[in-house]
Amino acid sequence: MTMNWSARRLIATEVRLPEGVASSGTSGQILRAGLARFAEVGFYGASIRDIAAIAGVNSATLYAHYPSKEHILAALILHGHVELHRRLQEALVRAGVEPADQLAAVVRAHVSIHTDFPMLAVVTNTELHALSPELGLPAVTLREQSRQLLLQVLMNGAERGAFAIPDTVLTATAISAIGMRVATWFGPEVPYTADEIADTYVELALRIVGARVETPSTPATE
Amino acid sequence: MTMNWSARRLIATEVRLPEGVASSGTSGQILRAGLARFAEVGFYGASIRDIAAIAGVNSATLYAHYPSKEHILAALILHGHVELHRRLQEALVRAGVEPADQLAAVVRAHVSIHTDFPMLAVVTNTELHALSPELGLPAVTLREQSRQLLLQVLMNGAERGAFAIPDTVLTATAISAIGMRVATWFGPEVPYTADEIADTYVELALRIVGARVETPSTPATE
DNA sequence: GTCTATAGATGGATAGAC
DNA sequence: GTCTATCCATCTATAGAC
């Protein structure tokens, strides 16, 4: 049923989840099968029989592990948001106090999670709408926190005179969009390594904010 | 059935199509109803009965105007791609020969179509995978042409020394991502006008390519 | 062109044996 | 936990009257 043409939702083929996430046993198989199908055809396009077949079990077996199809999606989307927020925070903590270093670290983490887990990122970024408010709330909360983290970096850099940003929110949205989009086109056939992409998009982000990275000898005119 | 919470696929509520596109009669009503539903819940999440109810007709009536649900989506996606390509070309023709002017015009056109038709843009950008290769081919072809148009502007600017770009393809992808994302968050409640967004993202694009817009008195060092 | 009615297939989810 | 079998709702699409 998989279509092999050039307008797919993603290019990546590896079904991969962050470490420590339900990797063993039937639960893990179901989770990975759901990941593959939700990424390929979305929540409504994936049937529980599809997912069960890929997981190698009967469709009824799914309900011994998850109470509904929606709960499989909710688990995936929560994992995706947790991993993103964890990486962003870790990057920020390690970056020190220089605004340009902070932005570089956060953008690198953001881009890297989309090259490390493109399939999970597609599901996380595009299928949240299919969850009920109750099941989606934890992810929505984490998403907002991640957004605030980037906004804080930009606002701090602007206040300290390290960045010259026309508008903080629009700038954060733009930088975020660049990273998110990576998940849809990154894959094994792409002629760029994950590091090359991260390096390039860190550079573009620094340009976007007008960071004065190469002129430490020229102090800001206040 | 519409969920009223903050994780929707788009914020825009106005059901709008470009001028001259099947606006009158039952065909137009069906097309607009499909647009609304496909944008909200995607192709697989939208049922024929949903669409028919919104269009104000019986579900069987749809088949007097379109041979299948997929053909409704194909019509929408083609309209979206045609309008984008038309605007990009018009912008480029009017922009003259200066690379920075060309990029500004193309980015403005790209962002503007996403603020003018956010609902159509969401469908156009995210539902192409649901079409069979035959029905999707015209849109795929137009998408590639639009992509080449932006790449040409970037390559020309780089060759003439007006831009300093780390990588043309990655840069085009980034600029494109910023504009595409606008369709998901732009709406009546957003505290920015369409012009403000276009102005800001033109500025960010010029920064991304390192355009020397403010220093005409300082010729490039070759 | 639009309707009522329905065919035929598939959907999510459950019952109950093992 | 996993299976077979099945319920029942919903799906796309069609038949045929008007």
Side-chain angles (χ1 to χ4, degrees):
Chain A
M1 205 62 59
T2 300
M3 295 183 296
N4 187 26
W5 66 308
S6 60
R8 295 207 309 279
R9 296 178 87 213
L10 79 168
I11 302 300
T13 52
E14 187 192 3
V15 182
R16 186 160 174 253
L17 285 167
E19 288 181 23
V21 171
S23 42
S24 66
T26 302
S27 278
Q29 287 300 111
I30 293 169
L31 204 60
R32 273 186 288 273
L35 173 56
R37 293 307 293 161
F38 293 151
E40 183 82 16
V41 294
F43 179 72
Y44 298 111
S47 77
I48 59 161
R49 287 175 178 81
D50 281 347
I51 295 168
I54 293 175
V57 295
N58 189 277
S59 66
T61 302
L62 296 191
Y63 294 90
H65 299 271
Y66 296 91
S68 76
K69 179 174 114 170
E70 190 184 353
H71 283 78
I72 302 175
L73 178 63
L76 288 166
I77 288 182
L78 184 55
H79 286 313
H81 279 92
V82 165
E83 180 71 7
L84 171 65
H85 189 256
R86 191 187 67 74
R87 287 192 181 205
L88 290 181
Q89 272 202 321
E90 181 179 315
L92 184 56
V93 167
R94 292 191 181 181
V97 296
E98 281 299 317
D101 292 341
Q102 289 182 351
L103 181 63
V106 166
V107 168
R108 182 173 300 279
H110 189 243
V111 171
S112 295
I113 199 174
H114 288 86
T115 54
D116 286 348
F117 305 101
M119 195 174 282
L120 179 61
V122 164
V123 173
T124 300
N125 290 336
T126 69
E127 297 300 316
L128 183 54
H129 72 280
L131 294 181
S132 66
E134 301 78 48
L135 282 179
L137 182 60
V140 170
T141 305
L142 279 168
R143 177 174 291 195
E144 178 59 20
Q145 288 175 11
S146 294
R147 195 180 89 100
Q148 288 297 329
L149 188 147
L150 175 57
L151 283 171
Q152 295 290 342
V153 169
L154 293 179
M155 286 191 290
N156 177 256
E159 284 170 11
R160 293 185 50 180
F163 301 160
I165 305 174
D167 181 279
T168 309
V169 170
L170 290 182
T171 302
T173 305
I175 291 173
S176 175
I178 295 172
M180 290 172 71
R181 187 79 193 154
V182 171
T184 70
W185 57 263
F186 185 71
E189 302 286 302
V190 166
Y192 302 95
T193 67
D195 278 344
E196 286 169 352
I197 298 165
D199 289 345
T200 301
Y201 283 167
V202 164
E203 165 70 18
L204 296 194
L206 291 173
R207 290 184 179 196
I208 283 175
V209 301
R212 296 188 252 277
V213 287
E214 294 298 334
T215 56
S217 56
T218 307
T221 53
E222 179 62 16
Chain B
M1 205 60 59
T2 301
M3 294 183 295
N4 188 25
W5 66 308
S6 60
R8 294 207 310 279
R9 297 179 87 212
L10 79 168
I11 302 299
T13 53
E14 187 191 3
V15 183
R16 186 160 174 253
L17 285 167
E19 288 181 22
V21 171
S23 42
S24 67
T26 303
S27 279
Q29 287 300 110
I30 293 169
L31 204 60
R32 273 186 289 273
L35 172 56
R37 292 307 293 160
F38 294 150
E40 184 82 16
V41 295
F43 179 72
Y44 297 111
S47 79
I48 290 290
R49 288 176 178 80
D50 280 348
I51 296 169
I54 294 175
V57 296
N58 188 278
S59 65
T61 302
L62 297 190
Y63 295 89
H65 299 270
Y66 296 92
S68 76
K69 179 174 115 171
E70 190 184 352
H71 283 78
I72 302 175
L73 178 63
L76 288 166
I77 288 182
L78 184 54
H79 286 313
H81 279 91
V82 166
E83 179 72 6
L84 171 64
H85 189 256
R86 191 186 67 75
R87 287 191 180 205
L88 290 181
Q89 272 203 319
E90 181 178 315
L92 184 56
V93 167
R94 291 191 180 182
V97 296
E98 280 300 317
D101 292 342
Q102 290 182 352
L103 181 63
V106 166
V107 169
R108 182 173 300 279
H110 189 244
V111 171
S112 294
I113 199 174
H114 288 86
T115 53
D116 286 348
F117 305 102
M119 194 174 281
L120 179 60
V122 165
V123 173
T124 300
N125 290 336
T126 69
E127 298 300 317
L128 183 54
H129 72 281
L131 295 180
S132 65
E134 301 78 47
L135 281 179
L137 182 60
V140 170
T141 304
L142 279 169
R143 177 174 291 195
E144 178 59 21
Q145 288 175 10
S146 293
R147 195 180 89 101
Q148 288 298 329
L149 188 148
L150 175 57
L151 282 171
Q152 295 289 343
V153 169
L154 293 178
M155 287 192 288
N156 177 257
E159 284 170 11
R160 293 185 49 180
F163 300 162
I165 305 174
D167 180 280
T168 309
V169 170
L170 290 182
T171 301
T173 306
I175 291 173
S176 175
I178 296 172
M180 289 172 70
R181 188 77 194 155
V182 171
T184 71
W185 57 263
F186 185 71
E189 302 286 301
V190 166
Y192 302 96
T193 67
D195 278 344
E196 287 169 351
I197 297 166
D199 289 344
T200 300
Y201 284 166
V202 165
E203 166 69 18
L204 296 194
L206 292 172
R207 291 184 178 195
I208 282 175
V209 301
R212 297 187 252 279
V213 286
E214 293 299 333
T215 57
S217 58
T218 307
T221 54
E222 179 62 16

